[in-house]
Amino acid sequence: MDEVKQLVTDIKNKKLKPIYFLMGEEAYYIDKISDFIEASVLAEEDRGFNQMVLYGRDVSVDDIVGNAKRYPMMAEYQVIIVKEAQDLSRTIENLAKYAENPQPTTVLVVNYKYKKIDKRKALYKTLKKTGVVYESKKLYENQVADWIRRVLSPKKYTISPKAAQMLVEFLGTDLSKINNELEKLQIILPEGTQISPDHIEENIGISKDYNNFELRKAVGERNAIKAHKIVNYFADNPKDNPMVVTVLLLFNFFSQLLHFHGLKDKSPRSVASALKINPYFVKEYITAARNFPMRKVSVVVATLREFDVKGKGVGSNAVPQGDLLKELMVRILS
């Protein structure tokens, strides 16, 4: 995020580069940077003649270069944005020759999503000298809640740890999807609001009581009644609560619990750092460690591997996934 802020600051201050090559697995920042350039480099009255959006599926690298070599009309710059440039992956290296001597009055923006160019080849090396190469990397799941807080902070909103975790659980690490939901909440809720699980449930439709986050907590507490209630709800609503997601979350939880048992320093700060979790959730791991000794944790991890395979239809004789989840809970909590 700091690199993005610096890029945006430079663009605002008209410290422009002739080429911005935006690549990587996380599309959110690629879109944000590209949209900012599209909206801010040229005055509105100059865009008609001097701003062009191309799509990788419709053009060749030669087409892009031909347009980039044109001069702007009655403006300081022209802006050319190539969206979905990953469709040109077989020929993108041909851009290296233009990158060696780019047109100084052209700002060429290449959106190369979900992939990255070979850093050993000429294009990457040349772009590093004459332009900007930004690689947008996927965040790990344990980094997303902090990202949510950082996005909300300048907009004068906060979010509770549980509410942030609900969003991550429901939407995964797709920052664009998460941002869309956050923007909806900002329309509904006044500035200064702390976004709570109730807000998430009422406005996004994620149950605050029947979700994988609450199931994990119930299992860690060995609260069999609550765990079985949640699993029964999942069994009745399988499309919204796929078994593969539940098993993966529990597998990650018990794998971290194994790590916890092996820690010498079990102070909250040390645990949060070692397990890469929000300090708010450390108590859950301490409680779960009391209820699941290391030997039992090892057995649970093996059981989860077994049910992961069964949930994918191997050796389960077409048993409904809801029934498999119920059996899994019995095995874990026995």
Side-chain angles (χ1 to χ4, degrees):
M1 189 180 279
D2 292 337
E3 187 180 355
V4 174
K5 286 180 179 177
Q6 186 59 56
L7 266 174
V8 169
T9 299
D10 288 345
I11 294 164
K12 281 181 179 177
N13 294 331
K14 298 299 181 184
K15 296 179 182 178
L16 298 170
K17 296 288 187 178
I19 306 177
Y20 292 85
F21 199 96
L22 314 174
M23 65 180 188
E25 291 296 319
E26 179 50 68
Y28 175 80
Y29 283 117
I30 293 174
D31 287 335
K32 283 291 182 184
I33 296 168
S34 178
D35 290 347
F36 183 75
I37 292 172
E38 187 174 352
S40 64
V41 169
L42 296 179
E44 189 171 353
E45 60 269 20
D46 293 331
R47 292 176 198 159
F49 290 110
N50 295 297
Q51 189 153 288
M52 179 182 298
V53 177
L54 306 173
Y55 289 86
R57 65 178 178 272
D58 299 325
V59 297
S60 66
V61 172
D62 287 343
D63 295 329
I64 295 168
V65 171
N67 282 293
K69 285 183 174 179
R70 291 190 299 112
Y71 289 95
M73 293 182 64
M74 296 177 289
E76 189 176 358
Y77 294 100
Q78 70 159 342
V79 175
I80 296 175
I81 298 169
V82 185
K83 297 189 175 183
E84 310 301 336
Q86 67 273 11
D87 290 339
L88 294 165
S89 59
R90 292 182 180 181
T91 57
I92 196 67
E93 277 295 319
N94 295 340
L95 190 61
K97 190 172 181 181
Y98 173 78
E100 289 174 4
N101 187 28
Q103 178 69 271
T105 55
T106 294
V107 177
L108 174 62
V109 184
V110 182
N111 296 349
Y112 198 80
K113 294 180 181 178
Y114 315 116
K115 295 183 178 183
K116 54 186 179 181
I117 54 175
D118 192 331
K119 296 180 181 179
R120 299 167 297 179
K121 293 187 175 180
L123 177 58
Y124 178 81
K125 292 176 180 178
T126 306
L127 287 169
K128 290 292 285 184
K129 294 176 183 177
T130 61
V132 169
V133 182
Y134 170 72
E135 183 177 349
S136 185
K137 297 178 181 179
K138 275 279 187 188
L139 294 184
Y140 293 111
E141 189 171 303
N142 59 31
Q143 297 173 311
V144 178
D146 184 57
W147 177 86
I148 292 171
R149 285 188 287 274
R150 292 174 70 184
V151 166
L152 288 172
S153 180
K155 299 174 182 177
K156 300 181 181 177
Y157 290 86
T158 57
I159 188 167
S160 74
K162 180 178 175 180
Q165 190 67 31
M166 286 169 66
L167 284 173
V168 176
E169 182 208 319
F170 189 69
L171 300 170
T173 59
D174 189 321
L175 302 187
S176 295
K177 286 183 180 178
I178 293 171
N179 188 64
N180 287 341
E181 297 301 337
L182 292 175
E183 287 180 348
K184 290 177 190 175
L185 290 170
Q186 290 164 54
I187 291 170
I188 297 164
L189 303 173
E191 280 188 4
T193 300
Q194 180 177 66
I195 298 170
S196 68
D198 285 332
H199 293 135
I200 301 292
E201 182 174 50
E202 290 165 10
N203 298 291
I204 299 177
I206 308 170
S207 172
K208 72 178 191 298
D209 297 317
Y210 296 96
N211 57 63
N212 284 311
F213 172 80
E214 288 297 320
L215 176 63
R216 184 187 76 181
K217 186 177 179 182
V219 168
E221 293 172 349
R222 277 193 173 272
N223 187 336
I225 293 174
K226 184 177 178 182
H228 285 296
K229 273 186 179 180
I230 295 170
V231 165
N232 287 336
Y233 177 85
F234 286 0
D236 292 337
N237 300 274
K239 289 184 179 179
D240 295 330
N241 303 280
M243 179 178 172
V244 64
V245 175
T246 300
V247 172
L248 178 60
L249 183 139
L250 290 172
F251 180 83
N252 290 339
F253 176 62
F254 278 96
S255 297
Q256 286 179 309
L257 211 52
L258 269 181
H259 189 180
F260 176 91
H261 277 298
L263 293 176
K264 291 182 179 179
D265 183 355
K266 290 187 171 64
S267 65
R269 181 178 293 182
S270 177
V271 170
S273 176
L275 300 187
K276 295 182 172 60
I277 59 173
N278 188 304
Y280 175 85
F281 298 111
V282 169
K283 287 182 181 178
E284 286 186 24
Y285 286 83
I286 293 172
T287 299
R290 291 197 196 104
N291 291 323
F292 291 89
M294 184 177 282
R295 183 176 295 179
K296 176 62 176 176
V297 174
S298 299
V299 172
V300 171
V301 168
T303 302
L304 286 163
R305 286 199 178 104
E306 174 191 339
F307 276 79
D308 178 54
V309 173
K310 286 183 177 181
K312 293 168 182 172
V314 180
S316 59
N317 297 319
V319 177
Q321 294 203 345
D323 291 343
L324 285 174
L325 270 178
K326 292 173 185 178
E327 183 185 347
L328 174 63
M329 277 304 103
V330 171
R331 294 269 296 272
I332 289 175
L333 296 170
S334 63

